[in-house]
Amino acid sequence: QVQLVESGGGLVQAGGSLSLSCTASGATFSINTMGWYRQAPGLQRELVATVTTGGTTNVADSVKGRFTISRDNGKNMVWLQMSSLKPEDTAVYYCYLGAYGTNYWGKGTLITVSS
């Protein structure tokens, strides 16, 4: 089993910055994809950004240039640095780990961006 624990999040004003971190434990696998998804009220969960153990990133167009994803393979950690936040970034952000066809999720952390 894989456990994902997020930290960070909270309330921030529009234009501000915030960072999230996630630590994976358990059977994390040597090759995996880690990252972040988000779900706003009434909407489906959507990709924010992911990064593979090899460093390949996939970033949603809506956050390109504003959000930066990074990871430390040795520590099984992934970070999301968010800047120029907008009210539409308000959502529950979930840490994600995918490996060998199986997806794992953290419990989520709420980010609220006030206008």
Side-chain angles (χ1 to χ4, degrees):
Q1 278 292 345
V2 174
Q3 294 81 42
L4 300 172
V5 178
E6 302 112 336
S7 63
L11 175 64
V12 64
Q13 288 189 331
S17 299
L18 212 56
S19 63
L20 298 176
S21 65
C22 174
T23 303
S25 61
T28 56
F29 310 99
S30 60
I31 299 174
N32 60 52
T33 297
M34 292 187 71
W36 300 91
Y37 282 69
R38 68 186 181 186
Q39 187 167 16
L43 299 179
Q44 290 187 334
R45 191 173 297 188
E46 64 177 5
L47 167 77
V48 177
T50 60
V51 57
T52 68
T53 44
T56 300
T57 59
N58 183 20
V59 182
D61 287 342
S62 60
V63 305
K64 276 183 181 176
R66 301 188 298 121
F67 291 11
T68 302
I69 189 168
S70 59
R71 68 180 289 168
D72 184 322
N73 292 334
K75 296 181 179 179
N76 291 320
M77 293 187 68
V78 64
W79 294 269
L80 185 69
Q81 181 63 43
M82 302 172 286
S83 61
S84 301
L85 283 160
K86 304 175 181 179
E88 50 263 44
D89 294 318
T90 295
V92 177
Y93 285 68
Y94 295 91
C95 182
Y96 164 84
L97 186 150
Y100 302 105
T102 302
N103 299 325
Y104 302 90
W105 300 95
K107 293 183 178 180
T109 184
L110 176 64
I111 291 178
T112 302
V113 184
S114 63
S115 57

